[in-house]
């Protein structure tokens, strides 16, 4: 690092970013990568930690959830509002790293880092969330995440808020080899609305760590519509159609592909339990 | 280039000048001279560097020092008054939750944050709260036991 600046407002931050500065929120990706020797710290750090206008989790007048981009995973995990209304997001937040990671890592940072294995991506997709940027743009999560480590943000543009519409019951489940300090091997989020006869009125499913970004699984969603919980197993089998997994140190592509249906079924079952609560 | 950094460490205020990439751990150990927090992995895997930042555990090795400006840091050295070990520290000694001792500062810091928030934790809560703190000696059983013993002892004091 040659320079470090901590603007007090978003308005002060934007020209610094436009001039080539790199935004650093919690640093759980950027600083950890530097310490482990994977990638040097950026030469011009624009630290976001003083931007209080980007904090806070609240319900808007239209019933949607409005999450400041500097909210931490611990903030999501501890929010009664999130746990009751958008439970897949709380499920995902509590799985991230360790308590220390969750106390520092932010929602905006998780999105901007755009890892295909990010835990918040699939829950935000099934909840049809969008981000509001500092430039006043509104982007759906599927528009924001364009590839591994790549977003549709323009140079100098910050994620300011994440807006999540009021929605159906939801859940997020991942395949993991250990309970903490883990990254999803395969993950799935499901959101369901079910009528009194048990007929599925609304179903959305998204996958983690099996494609270049977190992705929806439209074939599963189509198979669930107008059906009942009895089809969860068969519908989950269709999830692999949306997947193009890679082999890496964590799992082979074949293992990931084989586990997708299992994890999707578990996410559907957990979301369905919550519908019926 | 250095930048001013004002922070409180274990109740004492410090004014430092650090460069932009300096980590909180380096600032604590080398600038402040508080060597309780350890450098283990140096990339947020092991927890030996754990400190409380405004009461919450963070990995100081991977935290930019300048982001702690104006905030309150508690290290293992701030957990008791220095003359007498506290209940948590005594419990670690009693159970043998300390062997080589390198993870101990981080374990004590994470356990302190847990007990401040959940005075009567279950064993599962203890294990989840200590996640991110690696111990290569004890097998963790004695450490978990120590936290549960300290919780029980602190609970009796409150009655």
């Amino acid at each position: 690092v040659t320079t470090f600046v901590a603007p007090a407002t978003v308005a002060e931050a934007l020209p610094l970013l436009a001039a080539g500065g790199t935004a650093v929120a919690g640093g759980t990706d950027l600083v950890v990568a530097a310490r482990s020797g994977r990638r040097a710290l950026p030469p011009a750090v624009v630290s976001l930690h003083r931007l209080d206008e980007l904090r806070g989790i609240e319900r808007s007048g239209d019933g949607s959830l409005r999450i400041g981009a500097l909210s931490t995973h611990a903030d999501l995990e501890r929010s009664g509002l999130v746990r009751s209304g958008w439970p897949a997001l709380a499920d995902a937040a509590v799985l991230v790293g360790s308590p220390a990671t969750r106390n520092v890592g932010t929602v905006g940072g998780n999105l901007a880092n755009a890892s295909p294995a990010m835990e918040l991506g699939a829950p935000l997709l099934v909840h049809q969330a969008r981000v509001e940027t500092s430039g006043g743009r509104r982007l759906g999560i599927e528009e924001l995440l364009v590839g591994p480590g790549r977003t549709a943000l323009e140079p100098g543009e910050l994620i300011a808020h994440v807006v999540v519409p009021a929605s159906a019951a939801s859940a997020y489940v991942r395949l993991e080899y250990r309970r903490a300090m883990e990254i999803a091997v395969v993950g799935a989020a499901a959101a369901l609305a079910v009528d009194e006869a048990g007929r599925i009125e609304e179903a959305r499913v998204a996958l983690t760590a099996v494609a270049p970004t977190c992705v929806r699984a439209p074939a599963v969603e189509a198979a669930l519509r107008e059906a009942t919980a009895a089809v969860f197993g068969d519908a989950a089998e269709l999830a692999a159609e949306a997947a193009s997994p890679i082999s890496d140190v964590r799992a082979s592509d074949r293992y990931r592909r084989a586990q997708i249906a299992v994890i999707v079924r578990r996410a559907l079952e957990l979301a369905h339990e919550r519908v019926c609560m | 280039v250095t930048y001013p950094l004002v922070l409180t460490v274990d109740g004492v205020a410090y004014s430092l000048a650090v460069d932009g990439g300096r980590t909180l751990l380096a600032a604590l150990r080398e600038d402040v001279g508080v060597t309780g927090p350890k450098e283990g992995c140096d990339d947020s895997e092991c927890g030996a560097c754990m400190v409380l930042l405004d009461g919450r555990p963070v990995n100081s090795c991977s935290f930019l020092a300048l982001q702690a400006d104006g905030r309150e840091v508690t290290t293992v050295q701030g957990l008791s008054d220095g003359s007498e070990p506290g209940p948590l520290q005594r419990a670690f000694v009693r159970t043998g939750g300390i062997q080589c001792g390198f993870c101990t500062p981080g374990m004590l810091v994470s356990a302190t944050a847990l007990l401040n928030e959940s005075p009567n934790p279950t064993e599962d809560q203890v294990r989840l709260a200590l996640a991110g703190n690696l111990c290569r000696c004890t097998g963790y059983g004695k450490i978990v036991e120590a936290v549960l013993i300290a919780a029980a002892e602190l609970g009796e004091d409150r009655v």
Side-chain angles (χ1 to χ4, degrees):
Chain A
V1 175
T2 53
T3 64
F4 179 101
V5 56
T9 64
V10 173
E12 282 177 38
L14 294 180
L16 298 164
L17 295 168
T22 302
V24 178
T28 52
D29 288 305
L30 280 174
V31 182
V32 171
R35 299 315 295 175
S36 66
R38 288 196 303 275
R39 193 171 58 232
L41 270 184
V45 168
V46 179
S47 177
L48 307 183
H49 70 280
R50 294 175 64 203
L51 305 181
D52 289 336
E53 60 200 286
L54 302 188
R55 294 184 201 284
I57 298 175
E58 58 195 30
R59 196 200 302 261
S60 302
D62 64 358
S64 63
L65 184 71
R66 186 172 170 84
I67 304 170
L70 290 181
S71 302
T72 63
H73 292 82
D75 292 335
L76 286 182
E77 168 190 350
R78 288 156 188 264
S79 162
L81 187 59
V82 174
R83 285 208 304 263
S84 62
W86 294 266
L89 272 178
D91 292 343
V94 77
L95 290 174
V96 171
S98 67
T101 321
R102 300 196 290 274
N103 284 334
V104 174
T106 65
V107 173
N110 195 235
L111 283 166
N113 191 56
S115 163
M118 62 182 292
E119 308 291 357
L120 297 181
L124 290 171
L125 281 170
V126 299
H127 279 296
Q128 301 179 291
R130 62 177 190 272
V131 300
E132 293 177 359
T133 74
S134 55
R137 289 203 298 161
R138 293 180 171 195
L139 297 169
I141 299 300
E142 63 288 346
E143 299 170 285
L144 175 74
L145 302 174
V146 297
R150 291 195 300 121
T151 68
L153 292 175
E154 284 161 8
E157 190 176 26
L158 273 181
I159 298 171
H161 291 89
V162 180
V163 176
V164 198
S167 161
S170 68
Y172 177 72
V173 173
R174 76 178 180 191
L175 174 63
E176 57 192 10
Y177 300 139
R178 52 180 183 175
R179 286 177 72 192
M181 303 300 285
E182 180 62 308
I183 295 169
V185 180
V186 172
L192 292 174
V194 176
D195 73 12
E196 284 172 10
R199 201 175 50 105
I200 296 165
E201 295 177 314
E202 250 185 85
R204 286 181 300 280
V205 172
L207 312 175
T208 307
V210 295
T213 65
C214 296
V215 289
R216 292 273 289 272
V220 183
E221 297 175 0
L224 291 168
R225 222 160 282 137
E226 310 287 318
T228 68
V231 307
F232 283 174
D234 290 338
E237 295 290 339
L238 302 172
E241 288 180 19
S244 49
I246 58 165
S247 291
D248 62 13
V249 65
R250 312 177 49 67
S252 67
D253 58 340
R254 290 178 57 212
Y255 183 61
R256 283 198 167 95
R257 192 173 282 282
Q259 295 307 313
I260 294 168
V262 178
I263 299 304
V264 167
R265 180 175 48 76
R266 289 181 190 168
L268 287 168
E269 287 169 353
L270 183 54
H272 191 258
E273 271 175 44
R274 289 172 175 166
V275 172
C276 301
M277 267 163 51
Chain B
V1 183
T2 62
Y3 301 87
L5 167 62
V6 175
L7 77 178
T8 302
V9 180
D10 298 332
V12 181
Y14 293 88
S15 293
L16 309 173
V18 304
D19 69 43
R22 194 145 184 87
T23 67
L24 180 57
L25 179 64
L28 290 171
R29 291 180 58 86
E30 294 164 24
D31 301 334
V32 175
V34 169
T35 54
K38 304 300 182 217
E39 181 185 305
C41 67
D42 201 20
D43 66 1
S44 285
E45 289 287 340
C46 79
C49 66
M50 199 74 70
V51 300
L52 300 181
L53 189 61
D54 295 334
R56 296 281 192 86
V58 304
N59 289 303
S60 63
C61 74
S62 306
F63 194 92
L64 292 178
L66 290 165
Q67 292 192 326
D69 190 47
R71 301 179 71 177
E72 194 171 308
V73 177
T74 306
T75 75
V76 66
Q77 290 166 242
L79 298 185
S80 68
D81 66 9
S83 55
E84 284 293 317
L88 191 61
Q89 291 159 315
R90 284 200 305 275
F92 269 66
V93 173
R94 203 184 318 154
T95 63
I98 298 171
Q99 288 180 30
C100 89
F102 204 79
C103 75
T104 310
M107 292 285 182
L108 288 167
V109 163
S110 288
T112 297
L114 169 69
L115 296 181
N116 285 343
E117 200 161 334
S118 305
N120 292 303
T122 62
E123 179 179 334
D124 204 46
Q125 285 175 313
V126 173
R127 289 183 180 274
L128 288 172
L130 296 180
N133 292 277
L134 298 185
C135 172
R136 304 289 80 173
C137 307
T138 63
Y140 301 100
K142 295 168 175 182
I143 292 173
V144 173
E145 188 189 346
V147 178
L148 291 168
I149 287 174
E153 196 173 308
L154 287 161
E156 279 169 26
D157 290 348
R158 274 194 303 275
V159 172

